[in-house]
Amino acid sequence: MTQNSTRTKRGNRIFKKNPSSKGWTFMKQVNGRRYYFPLGVILSDAKTLADEIDAYAYLNPIADVVKKFRPNGLSVGNDICQNATIGDVAKRYRLLAPSECGVEPSTIKTYLLVLNRVIREATGKDPERFYVSDFTPSLISEFKRRRLEEVTDFDKRISIKRTINSYMKQIQGIFSKRALKLYKDFDVSAVVETLKDFDPYDKIGVKYKLPSYDLIARTHKLLESYDSCKDQYIALSLALHFGLRRKEILNAKRNWFTKVKSQFKIAVFTDETFRVKAGEDGYAFGSSVIAEKILTMSDGFEYLITGGERHALDPVLKDLRRIGWDRVKPLHECRKLYGSYWASKEGLYFAQKTLRHATPLTTNDYYADLIDQEEIMELWSA
C-alpha cells in the first residue's frame, strides 16, 4: 500500500497531497495561514528538508523561510499579501487577464463563476472573502463528495465527474503559468500546488444520450410559446432547428440565410466582426418554415438578435431550466437535439457536416443519439 503521510525525526508531518502525487510536501502554519513547501520525491531527503525548514522557521520570519526554501517564484516578501482572498485574485484576473494573457472577457467570467461555485458548495463561505491559502486538497474532496453523494444513477455520476474535471481545468486557467505573473504580490502557492496535484476522474468516456420524449416535446412547445417574443423565438429556433452555438446566435445576420429547394441553409463563416469556434466554418441546414419566420420576425434588421449581448439569451436559458433542462448549458443541449435529428434522418456524416465538426467522432460521441420514435422526429417537421 502506498504511503501518503509520515513523520520526520523531529515529529514533523510530511505528506503527499493525493494518491497520485509523486513528491512529498511539508506544511507550516503561521498566524492562521498555511505555507506549503515541496520536498521532492525521495522520502529520506524529504524528511531531512522538512526538519531543516522547521528549524529555520523557528528562528526566522516566514517570509525569509519561503524565500529560502520555496524556489518556485511564489515567494513571500515584505510587499507580498500573505492573506490574499479569492476576491483579490478575481479582481486582478478580471482587470489584467484580457491584456496580459489574451483571455476573452466571457472566458474570464465563466472561470470565475466556476471558482466561486466550487468554494461556495464545498465550504458554504463567501468566495470573495475566502483565503487563497485555504484552497486545499480537502476542499476539492469535499466538493466531490457533495456533488456525488446520494447520486446512484450510473450515467448521472459519470456526467457529474466530467463536470468536476471540467471545473478544475477552468480553475487551473486562472492559476496557469501564464496567469501567475498577474499575482506577483499575492501568495497563491497553496492553490497552485493543490491544482497541480489534482487527480482527474478517468474512464468517463462520453456517449450522448437523448433526454426523454416529454422534455424534447416541452422544448418544442416552449418555442411555440415565443410567437410574440422576437429575440427568444429567434434564439431558440437557431439552436433547435439550425444547431447554432451561443456566439453564432448572437452574431447571426439576415444575409447568412440562403434558400436551397425546400430548405434554408445558414452560412456560418468567420468575418471581420465574428470568428467561428476553432475555425469550424460551414453551412447549417434547417426548416424553410422556421427560417422564413425568423427573417419575418427580425423586421429587416441586419442582426437577428437585437443588441447581440449575452444577456439577451437569459430569458431562454431561464425557461429551458424551468421546463426541466438541468445541464450547465441548456441552449447547447438544443444543438445536440438538432444533431441527433439529422443523424437519424440523413446519417452521421450529414450531421457532422451541418454541425460543422472537424471529425465525425465528435458528432458521434457528443451530439448524435439515434431517434427511433417517429413522434420525436415529427417535432422538427415544422
Side-chain angles (χ1 to χ4, degrees):
M1 184 174 177
T2 304
Q3 187 179 23
N4 290 319
S5 175
T6 188
R7 295 280 179 179
T8 69
K9 289 182 179 179
R10 289 173 56 93
N12 292 306
R13 176 178 173 266
I14 66 173
F15 57 93
K16 293 183 177 180
K17 290 192 172 182
N18 61 53
S20 66
S21 298
K22 294 181 179 179
W24 293 91
T25 298
F26 174 55
M27 189 271 289
K28 186 74 178 174
Q29 188 162 327
V30 179
N31 297 326
R33 300 272 64 79
R34 299 184 183 98
Y35 299 87
Y36 293 86
F37 298 88
L39 305 173
V41 298
I42 300 174
L43 179 57
S44 58
D45 291 348
K47 288 180 176 182
T48 301
L49 181 56
D51 283 343
E52 186 179 344
I53 293 169
D54 184 56
Y56 194 82
Y58 186 76
L59 300 171
N60 297 278
I62 189 63
D64 292 345
V65 180
V66 171
K67 185 176 181 180
K68 179 177 176 66
F69 292 101
R70 198 165 63 202
N72 59 0
L74 300 171
S75 57
V76 178
N78 293 330
D79 58 341
I80 298 296
C81 177
Q82 298 177 23
N83 297 329
T85 65
I86 293 298
D88 296 327
V89 168
K91 184 177 180 181
R92 187 72 56 81
Y93 189 65
R94 196 180 292 114
L95 180 68
L96 297 179
S99 58
E100 298 296 321
C101 305
V103 184
E104 292 288 333
S106 59
T107 301
I108 292 170
K109 182 179 179 181
T110 300
Y111 285 5
L112 292 176
L113 282 173
V114 166
L115 177 59
N116 288 347
R117 182 176 296 160
V118 168
I119 292 171
R120 190 175 288 111
E121 288 188 24
T123 68
K125 296 180 180 179
D126 177 9
E128 284 288 313
R129 301 179 179 181
F130 190 83
Y131 288 117
V132 175
S133 58
D134 290 334
F135 196 100
T136 60
S138 61
L139 181 147
I140 295 179
S141 296
E142 179 63 12
F143 177 70
K144 289 179 177 180
R145 186 189 68 78
R146 294 192 180 198
R147 278 275 166 139
L148 288 166
E149 68 178 346
E150 299 182 6
V151 179
T152 57
D153 181 77
F154 177 79
D155 289 336
K156 185 67 173 177
R157 288 182 68 85
I158 290 295
S159 176
I160 292 172
K161 288 178 179 180
R162 285 201 301 268
T163 298
I164 291 171
N165 283 354
S166 173
Y167 279 6
M168 292 306 118
K169 186 174 291 186
Q170 291 177 72
I171 295 173
Q172 285 168 344
I174 301 173
F175 298 96
S176 65
K177 287 183 179 179
R178 188 172 56 166
L180 287 180
K181 62 185 178 183
L182 308 179
Y183 320 123
K184 288 182 178 179
D185 53 338
F186 296 161
D187 178 18
V188 296
S189 57
V191 65
V192 170
E193 292 297 321
T194 294
L195 293 171
K196 187 187 299 181
D197 286 339
F198 170 68
D199 188 20
Y201 290 106
D202 59 3
K203 297 181 181 179
I204 51 173
V206 178
K207 191 70 175 179
Y208 175 65
K209 290 189 177 181
L210 279 172
S212 68
Y213 166 77
D214 286 344
L215 182 54
I216 299 173
R218 287 198 298 272
T219 305
H220 283 268
K221 281 286 186 184
L222 178 63
L223 179 62
E224 293 174 10
S225 74
Y226 285 152
D227 260 352
S228 57
C229 305
K230 180 181 80 72
D231 281 354
Q232 287 93 316
Y233 182 88
I234 292 174
L236 187 52
S237 293
L238 290 175
L240 190 59
H241 284 274
F242 286 91
L244 266 60
R245 302 177 177 94
R246 176 183 56 82
K247 280 190 177 181
E248 295 165 355
I249 292 170
L250 291 173
N251 287 275
K253 302 177 184 177
R254 293 180 64 84
N255 63 9
W256 287 14
F257 285 76
T258 305
K259 190 166 186 177
V260 182
K261 297 181 181 179
S262 61
Q263 290 183 325
F264 265 78
K265 67 178 181 179
I266 298 181
V268 188
F269 288 87
T270 296
D271 60 24
E272 66 277 3
T273 61
F274 167 69
R275 187 174 63 143
V276 179
K277 177 185 176 182
E280 293 179 357
D281 303 87
Y283 293 94
F285 293 83
S287 160
S288 60
V289 174
I290 297 293
E292 287 168 356
K293 187 168 182 177
I294 289 172
L295 294 174
T296 300
M297 292 185 80
S298 66
D299 201 25
F301 287 100
E302 179 186 11
Y303 285 93
L304 302 180
I305 301 287
T306 16
E309 298 293 335
R310 185 171 183 170
H311 62 73
L313 303 180
D314 287 350
V316 180
L317 301 178
K318 182 178 179 181
D319 286 340
L320 286 170
R321 292 189 177 101
R322 175 178 55 79
I323 65 172
W325 287 102
D326 60 356
R327 302 294 178 88
V328 176
K329 299 179 179 179
L331 195 61
H332 201 75
E333 294 300 312
C334 295
R335 172 173 161 84
K336 295 180 181 182
L337 294 179
Y338 167 85
S340 294
Y341 168 75
W342 281 112
S344 302
K345 182 179 174 64
E346 299 288 347
L348 179 65
Y349 288 96
F350 184 87
Q352 176 205 349
K353 179 181 177 182
T354 192
L355 286 166
R356 293 162 286 114
H357 288 147
T359 165
L361 293 176
T362 302
T363 311
N364 182 61
D365 288 347
Y366 293 87
Y367 293 83
D369 193 11
L370 178 66
I371 301 176
D372 56 6
Q373 294 175 260
E374 190 60 34
E375 57 265 38
I376 295 181
M377 295 294 289
E378 288 174 353
L379 293 172
W380 275 269
S381 301

